[in-house]
Amino acid sequence: MNFTFRNMRIGGLLVVVPENESRYADELDNYNFPIANSRKLQNVIGIDRHRLVTEGTCASDLALFGLRHLIDRGDLQPDDIDGLILVTETPDYFMPPTSSVIQGKLGLSQDMWCLDLNQGCAGFAVGLIQAFMMLQQESIQRVVLVNADTLTRTCSPQDRNAYPLLGDAASVAILEPSTESTTIHANLQMDGNQHEKIMIPAGGFRLPCTPETAQVALASDGNYRGQEHYHMDGIAVLNFVQNQIPPLIDNLLSAAATSLDEVDWFMFHQPNRFMLEKLADKLGVPREKLPNDVVEHYGNASSATIPTAITHTLGADLTENTYTMCLCGFGVGLTCSSLLLEVGGLRFCEMINYPSSQPRAD
């Protein structure tokens, strides 16, 4: 499915990461795997450290910290927010929507649209598409897109395939009309036939939590986890990415009448260095134009990884310069989505730490 949006832009970008950091070298004894093999795996896929929330910290806590930072500094006016989109796989509650929690905590206007999107690693791209569709309404002039997840709270610390890769983070993107003539191209594909390839089996109404689902046991892949833990079929996801993303990007660039060489940066979701290097090679993109080092510094924080890649790689440079970017997310669902747009002249583009001692929203 293809989309086209005109005269819209990203006005600012903020990423919030927990200051609490854990190093892979300190976690090796947790895994049912020879340490020497773990170190070889570290070198191949690019893992070193990740950022983790402390016990009890939720997605709304990270989001509120970032939003208050922008409001207190004058970069965001509460009365100017017409739409608030929260993309998360780790909501505070089943109900109410966490976006409503954030609206209430900030005392925002009741004359606005709050929306939760249950999306994962494609969530920044999907969220941008939703935000741009909102901006097509005359009554909506500014949308705040928040991507926030605390995935490490869903994962078994004994799962060497997932735990050292995951991280926690939030991002805040301001979407608004552009004073210049711009065109944004986007596309989206979903394959629900593979929904079980990334999932937390227990915890919903299909399989409610019980003492049995909470039990941690040795799984067929040699990891210890329970049915209430995050699980990913890494080989299936790798195959999905290698087979589906190149034609998705080809379709996007064809619709925009743009070549690979005309794209300055390919800011993709960050599963691990190995997968992104393989993807860059298959696309025929120079590896230096497709950053791949987010996981080794912060961990894979689901839908916040694209904003993290942008701020980590370019930061304040985007307040002065403008680049043609291809954004692409892929993951749970299985879902994949990409956008081609100009990004630059931002009012802010930065990363801040969420203090471990920060009071929670509750």
Side-chain angles (χ1 to χ4, degrees), residues 173-220:
I174 310 301
L175 292 315
E176 59 196 15
S178 173
T179 57
E180 300 179 3
S181 178
T182 62
T183 301
I184 298 170
H185 294 274
N187 59 13
L188 172 69
Q189 292 181 358
M190 297 187 174
D191 183 5
N193 289 319
Q194 299 194 70
H195 69 272
E196 78 284 357
K197 301 304 181 183
I198 307 175
M199 71 183 307
I200 300 173
F205 290 109
R206 179 65 60 190
L207 182 60
C209 292
T210 65
E212 289 73 25
T213 63
Q215 291 180 357
V216 175
L218 183 63
S220 59

Short mmCIF file of all heavy atoms in Angstrom, two decimals, residues 173-220:
data_model
loop_
_atom_site.label_atom_id
_atom_site.label_comp_id
_atom_site.label_asym_id
_atom_site.label_seq_id
_atom_site.Cartn_x
_atom_site.Cartn_y
_atom_site.Cartn_z
N ALA A 173 8.58 12.94 18.36
CA ALA A 173 8.72 13.63 17.08
C ALA A 173 7.57 14.61 16.92
O ALA A 173 6.41 14.27 17.18
CB ALA A 173 8.73 12.63 15.92
N ILE A 174 7.89 15.82 16.50
CA ILE A 174 6.87 16.84 16.26
C ILE A 174 6.59 16.90 14.77
O ILE A 174 7.51 17.13 13.97
CB ILE A 174 7.35 18.23 16.75
CG1 ILE A 174 7.88 18.14 18.19
CG2 ILE A 174 6.21 19.24 16.65
CD1 ILE A 174 6.89 17.64 19.20
N LEU A 175 5.35 16.67 14.38
CA LEU A 175 4.94 16.68 12.96
C LEU A 175 4.04 17.88 12.73
O LEU A 175 3.12 18.13 13.52
CB LEU A 175 4.21 15.39 12.60
CG LEU A 175 5.02 14.08 12.59
CD1 LEU A 175 6.36 14.24 11.89
CD2 LEU A 175 5.22 13.52 13.99
N GLU A 176 4.31 18.62 11.64
CA GLU A 176 3.61 19.87 11.41
C GLU A 176 3.60 20.21 9.93
O GLU A 176 4.35 19.61 9.14
CB GLU A 176 4.32 20.99 12.20
CG GLU A 176 5.77 21.16 11.80
CD GLU A 176 6.58 21.97 12.80
OE1 GLU A 176 6.10 22.17 13.94
OE2 GLU A 176 7.69 22.40 12.44
N PRO A 177 2.77 21.17 9.52
CA PRO A 177 2.80 21.62 8.13
C PRO A 177 4.16 22.24 7.80
O PRO A 177 4.82 22.82 8.65
CB PRO A 177 1.68 22.67 8.07
CG PRO A 177 0.79 22.35 9.22
CD PRO A 177 1.69 21.81 10.29
N SER A 178 4.55 22.14 6.56
CA SER A 178 5.80 22.72 6.10
C SER A 178 5.52 24.03 5.37
O SER A 178 4.55 24.13 4.62
CB SER A 178 6.53 21.75 5.18
OG SER A 178 7.67 22.36 4.60
N THR A 179 6.39 25.01 5.58
CA THR A 179 6.25 26.27 4.87
C THR A 179 6.80 26.16 3.45
O THR A 179 6.59 27.06 2.63
CB THR A 179 7.00 27.39 5.61
OG1 THR A 179 8.38 27.02 5.76
CG2 THR A 179 6.39 27.62 6.98
N GLU A 180 7.50 25.07 3.15
CA GLU A 180 8.04 24.83 1.82
C GLU A 180 7.26 23.70 1.15
O GLU A 180 6.64 22.87 1.81
CB GLU A 180 9.52 24.47 1.91
CG GLU A 180 10.38 25.56 2.54
CD GLU A 180 11.84 25.15 2.63
OE1 GLU A 180 12.17 24.04 2.15
OE2 GLU A 180 12.63 25.93 3.18
N SER A 181 7.32 23.67 -0.16
CA SER A 181 6.64 22.61 -0.91
C SER A 181 7.42 21.31 -0.76
O SER A 181 8.58 21.22 -1.14
CB SER A 181 6.55 23.00 -2.39
OG SER A 181 5.93 21.97 -3.12
N THR A 182 6.81 20.32 -0.15
CA THR A 182 7.48 19.04 0.09
C THR A 182 6.56 17.90 -0.32
O THR A 182 5.33 18.03 -0.28
CB THR A 182 7.85 18.87 1.57
OG1 THR A 182 6.65 18.89 2.37
CG2 THR A 182 8.77 19.99 2.05
N THR A 183 7.17 16.79 -0.68
CA THR A 183 6.42 15.57 -0.97
C THR A 183 7.05 14.41 -0.20
O THR A 183 8.27 14.23 -0.24
CB THR A 183 6.43 15.24 -2.47
OG1 THR A 183 5.85 16.32 -3.19
CG2 THR A 183 5.62 13.98 -2.75
N ILE A 184 6.23 13.68 0.51
CA ILE A 184 6.67 12.52 1.29
C ILE A 184 6.02 11.28 0.69
O ILE A 184 4.79 11.23 0.52
CB ILE A 184 6.28 12.66 2.78
CG1 ILE A 184 6.96 13.89 3.39
CG2 ILE A 184 6.63 11.39 3.55
CD1 ILE A 184 6.44 14.23 4.77
N HIS A 185 6.83 10.31 0.37
CA HIS A 185 6.33 9.03 -0.13
C HIS A 185 6.47 7.97 0.97
O HIS A 185 7.45 7.97 1.74
CB HIS A 185 7.11 8.59 -1.36
CG HIS A 185 6.91 9.49 -2.54
ND1 HIS A 185 5.86 9.33 -3.43
CD2 HIS A 185 7.62 10.57 -2.97
CE1 HIS A 185 5.94 10.27 -4.36
NE2 HIS A 185 6.99 11.03 -4.12
N ALA A 186 5.50 7.08 1.05
CA ALA A 186 5.52 6.03 2.07
C ALA A 186 4.84 4.78 1.53
O ALA A 186 4.05 4.84 0.59
CB ALA A 186 4.82 6.51 3.34
N ASN A 187 5.17 3.65 2.14
CA ASN A 187 4.45 2.42 1.84
C ASN A 187 4.42 1.52 3.06
O ASN A 187 5.10 1.76 4.07
CB ASN A 187 5.04 1.69 0.62
CG ASN A 187 6.50 1.32 0.78
OD1 ASN A 187 7.06 1.37 1.87
ND2 ASN A 187 7.14 0.94 -0.32
N LEU A 188 3.61 0.48 2.96
CA LEU A 188 3.33 -0.36 4.12
C LEU A 188 2.87 -1.73 3.65
O LEU A 188 2.08 -1.85 2.72
CB LEU A 188 2.23 0.30 4.96
CG LEU A 188 1.63 -0.48 6.14
CD1 LEU A 188 2.66 -0.62 7.24
CD2 LEU A 188 0.39 0.24 6.66
N GLN A 189 3.40 -2.78 4.31
CA GLN A 189 2.96 -4.15 4.05
C GLN A 189 2.85 -4.90 5.37
O GLN A 189 3.63 -4.66 6.29
CB GLN A 189 3.94 -4.88 3.13
CG GLN A 189 3.98 -4.36 1.70
CD GLN A 189 4.95 -5.13 0.83
OE1 GLN A 189 5.62 -6.04 1.29
NE2 GLN A 189 5.02 -4.77 -0.44
N MET A 190 1.90 -5.83 5.44
CA MET A 190 1.70 -6.63 6.64
C MET A 190 1.49 -8.09 6.28
O MET A 190 0.80 -8.39 5.30
CB MET A 190 0.52 -6.11 7.46
CG MET A 190 0.69 -4.70 7.97
SD MET A 190 -0.62 -4.19 9.09
CE MET A 190 0.00 -2.59 9.63
N ASP A 191 2.10 -8.98 7.05
CA ASP A 191 1.98 -10.42 6.82
C ASP A 191 1.59 -11.11 8.13
O ASP A 191 2.43 -11.60 8.87
CB ASP A 191 3.30 -10.99 6.28
CG ASP A 191 3.21 -12.48 5.97
OD1 ASP A 191 2.11 -13.04 6.07
OD2 ASP A 191 4.25 -13.08 5.64
N GLY A 192 0.28 -11.10 8.41
CA GLY A 192 -0.21 -11.71 9.64
C GLY A 192 -0.07 -13.22 9.68
O GLY A 192 -0.22 -13.83 10.75
N ASN A 193 0.23 -13.86 8.53
CA ASN A 193 0.45 -15.30 8.54
C ASN A 193 1.67 -15.68 9.36
O ASN A 193 1.83 -16.84 9.75
CB ASN A 193 0.63 -15.81 7.10
CG ASN A 193 -0.66 -15.79 6.31
OD1 ASN A 193 -1.72 -16.13 6.84
ND2 ASN A 193 -0.59 -15.38 5.06
N GLN A 194 2.56 -14.69 9.61
CA GLN A 194 3.76 -14.96 10.40
C GLN A 194 3.72 -14.26 11.75
O GLN A 194 4.76 -13.94 12.34
CB GLN A 194 5.01 -14.51 9.62
CG GLN A 194 5.21 -15.22 8.29
CD GLN A 194 6.59 -15.00 7.74
OE1 GLN A 194 7.59 -15.50 8.26
NE2 GLN A 194 6.67 -14.24 6.64
N HIS A 195 2.51 -14.04 12.27
CA HIS A 195 2.38 -13.28 13.51
C HIS A 195 3.07 -13.93 14.69
O HIS A 195 3.46 -13.27 15.65
CB HIS A 195 0.89 -13.07 13.85
CG HIS A 195 0.19 -14.33 14.25
ND1 HIS A 195 -0.41 -15.17 13.32
CD2 HIS A 195 -0.02 -14.90 15.47
CE1 HIS A 195 -0.95 -16.19 13.96
NE2 HIS A 195 -0.73 -16.06 15.25
N GLU A 196 3.25 -15.26 14.65
CA GLU A 196 3.85 -15.96 15.80
C GLU A 196 5.37 -15.89 15.80
O GLU A 196 6.00 -16.37 16.75
CB GLU A 196 3.39 -17.42 15.80
CG GLU A 196 4.11 -18.33 14.80
CD GLU A 196 3.67 -18.17 13.36
OE1 GLU A 196 2.75 -17.36 13.10
OE2 GLU A 196 4.25 -18.83 12.48
N LYS A 197 5.98 -15.28 14.80
CA LYS A 197 7.44 -15.25 14.72
C LYS A 197 8.06 -14.31 15.75
O LYS A 197 9.20 -14.48 16.15
CB LYS A 197 7.90 -14.86 13.30
CG LYS A 197 7.40 -15.80 12.21
CD LYS A 197 7.80 -17.24 12.46
CE LYS A 197 7.31 -18.14 11.32
NZ LYS A 197 7.62 -19.58 11.56
N ILE A 198 7.31 -13.28 16.14
CA ILE A 198 7.72 -12.40 17.24
C ILE A 198 6.49 -12.22 18.12
O ILE A 198 5.50 -11.64 17.69
CB ILE A 198 8.21 -11.03 16.74
CG1 ILE A 198 9.29 -11.16 15.68
CG2 ILE A 198 8.72 -10.19 17.91
CD1 ILE A 198 9.72 -9.82 15.07
N MET A 199 6.56 -12.70 19.34
CA MET A 199 5.37 -12.60 20.17
C MET A 199 5.68 -12.87 21.64
O MET A 199 6.73 -13.42 21.99
CB MET A 199 4.28 -13.57 19.69
CG MET A 199 4.56 -15.04 19.94
SD MET A 199 3.27 -16.14 19.26
CE MET A 199 1.76 -15.47 19.96
N ILE A 200 4.75 -12.46 22.48
CA ILE A 200 4.69 -12.87 23.88
C ILE A 200 3.44 -13.73 23.98
O ILE A 200 2.32 -13.21 23.94
CB ILE A 200 4.61 -11.65 24.82
CG1 ILE A 200 5.84 -10.75 24.64
CG2 ILE A 200 4.50 -12.11 26.28
CD1 ILE A 200 5.76 -9.45 25.40
N PRO A 201 3.58 -15.04 24.08
CA PRO A 201 2.42 -15.93 23.95
C PRO A 201 1.33 -15.71 25.00
O PRO A 201 0.14 -15.79 24.68
CB PRO A 201 3.04 -17.33 24.08
CG PRO A 201 4.47 -17.15 23.65
CD PRO A 201 4.85 -15.79 24.14
N ALA A 202 1.72 -15.47 26.25
CA ALA A 202 0.74 -15.39 27.33
C ALA A 202 0.58 -13.96 27.83
O ALA A 202 1.49 -13.14 27.73
CB ALA A 202 1.14 -16.31 28.48
N GLY A 203 -0.58 -13.68 28.39
CA GLY A 203 -0.82 -12.38 28.99
C GLY A 203 -2.07 -11.71 28.46
O GLY A 203 -2.64 -10.83 29.11
N GLY A 204 -2.53 -12.09 27.26
CA GLY A 204 -3.79 -11.58 26.72
C GLY A 204 -4.92 -12.54 27.06
O GLY A 204 -4.76 -13.47 27.86
N PHE A 205 -6.06 -12.32 26.46
CA PHE A 205 -7.21 -13.16 26.75
C PHE A 205 -7.17 -14.50 26.02
O PHE A 205 -7.86 -15.43 26.41
CB PHE A 205 -8.51 -12.42 26.42
CG PHE A 205 -8.78 -11.28 27.36
CD1 PHE A 205 -8.66 -9.97 26.94
CD2 PHE A 205 -9.13 -11.52 28.69
CE1 PHE A 205 -8.90 -8.92 27.81
CE2 PHE A 205 -9.37 -10.48 29.56
CZ PHE A 205 -9.24 -9.17 29.12
N ARG A 206 -6.36 -14.64 24.97
CA ARG A 206 -6.20 -15.92 24.31
C ARG A 206 -5.51 -16.91 25.23
O ARG A 206 -5.86 -18.09 25.29
CB ARG A 206 -5.41 -15.74 23.01
CG ARG A 206 -5.16 -17.03 22.22
CD ARG A 206 -6.45 -17.64 21.72
NE ARG A 206 -7.17 -16.73 20.83
CZ ARG A 206 -8.41 -16.93 20.41
NH1 ARG A 206 -9.07 -18.01 20.81
NH2 ARG A 206 -9.00 -16.07 19.60
N LEU A 207 -4.50 -16.43 25.96
CA LEU A 207 -3.78 -17.26 26.92
C LEU A 207 -3.46 -16.40 28.14
O LEU A 207 -2.40 -15.79 28.23
CB LEU A 207 -2.49 -17.81 26.29
CG LEU A 207 -1.65 -18.75 27.18
CD1 LEU A 207 -2.46 -19.99 27.59
CD2 LEU A 207 -0.37 -19.17 26.47
N PRO A 208 -4.41 -16.33 29.09
CA PRO A 208 -4.21 -15.49 30.27
C PRO A 208 -3.02 -15.98 31.12
O PRO A 208 -2.63 -17.15 31.06
CB PRO A 208 -5.52 -15.63 31.04
CG PRO A 208 -6.51 -16.09 30.03
CD PRO A 208 -5.74 -16.94 29.07
N CYS A 209 -2.46 -15.08 31.89
CA CYS A 209 -1.36 -15.44 32.79
C CYS A 209 -1.86 -16.37 33.89
O CYS A 209 -2.91 -16.16 34.49
CB CYS A 209 -0.75 -14.18 33.41
SG CYS A 209 0.12 -13.13 32.25
N THR A 210 -1.10 -17.40 34.13
CA THR A 210 -1.36 -18.37 35.19
C THR A 210 -0.04 -18.73 35.83
O THR A 210 1.04 -18.39 35.30
CB THR A 210 -2.01 -19.64 34.62
OG1 THR A 210 -1.06 -20.30 33.76
CG2 THR A 210 -3.28 -19.33 33.84
N PRO A 211 -0.04 -19.45 36.95
CA PRO A 211 1.23 -19.91 37.50
C PRO A 211 2.03 -20.74 36.50
O PRO A 211 3.27 -20.71 36.50
CB PRO A 211 0.80 -20.75 38.71
CG PRO A 211 -0.50 -20.12 39.14
CD PRO A 211 -1.17 -19.72 37.86
N GLU A 212 1.32 -21.47 35.63
CA GLU A 212 2.01 -22.31 34.64
C GLU A 212 2.70 -21.45 33.57
O GLU A 212 3.83 -21.74 33.17
CB GLU A 212 1.02 -23.27 33.98
CG GLU A 212 0.53 -24.40 34.88
CD GLU A 212 -0.46 -23.93 35.93
OE1 GLU A 212 -1.13 -22.88 35.71
OE2 GLU A 212 -0.55 -24.59 37.00
N THR A 213 2.03 -20.41 33.09
CA THR A 213 2.65 -19.58 32.05
C THR A 213 3.83 -18.78 32.59
O THR A 213 4.69 -18.34 31.83
CB THR A 213 1.63 -18.60 31.43
OG1 THR A 213 1.17 -17.69 32.44
CG2 THR A 213 0.45 -19.34 30.83
N ALA A 214 3.88 -18.60 33.92
CA ALA A 214 4.97 -17.84 34.53
C ALA A 214 6.22 -18.69 34.74
O ALA A 214 7.30 -18.14 35.00
CB ALA A 214 4.52 -17.26 35.87
N GLN A 215 6.08 -20.00 34.62
CA GLN A 215 7.23 -20.88 34.85
C GLN A 215 8.28 -20.72 33.76
O GLN A 215 7.97 -20.70 32.57
CB GLN A 215 6.77 -22.33 34.92
CG GLN A 215 5.95 -22.66 36.16
CD GLN A 215 5.52 -24.12 36.19
OE1 GLN A 215 5.79 -24.89 35.27
NE2 GLN A 215 4.84 -24.52 37.25
N VAL A 216 9.52 -20.61 34.19
CA VAL A 216 10.65 -20.52 33.26
C VAL A 216 11.22 -21.91 33.06
O VAL A 216 11.50 -22.63 34.03
CB VAL A 216 11.73 -19.57 33.80
CG1 VAL A 216 12.96 -19.58 32.90
CG2 VAL A 216 11.17 -18.16 33.93
N ALA A 217 11.37 -22.32 31.80
CA ALA A 217 11.87 -23.66 31.49
C ALA A 217 12.82 -23.58 30.31
O ALA A 217 12.88 -22.58 29.59
CB ALA A 217 10.69 -24.59 31.18
N LEU A 218 13.56 -24.66 30.10
CA LEU A 218 14.49 -24.73 28.99
C LEU A 218 13.72 -24.93 27.69
O LEU A 218 13.01 -25.90 27.52
CB LEU A 218 15.47 -25.88 29.20
CG LEU A 218 16.57 -26.05 28.14
CD1 LEU A 218 17.48 -24.83 28.10
CD2 LEU A 218 17.39 -27.32 28.42
N ALA A 219 13.86 -23.99 26.76
CA ALA A 219 13.16 -24.05 25.47
C ALA A 219 13.99 -24.83 24.46
O ALA A 219 15.16 -25.16 24.69
CB ALA A 219 12.88 -22.64 24.96
N SER A 220 13.39 -25.12 23.32
CA SER A 220 14.04 -25.94 22.30
C SER A 220 15.30 -25.30 21.73
O SER A 220 16.16 -25.98 21.19
CB SER A 220 13.06 -26.25 21.17
OG SER A 220 12.60 -25.05 20.57
#
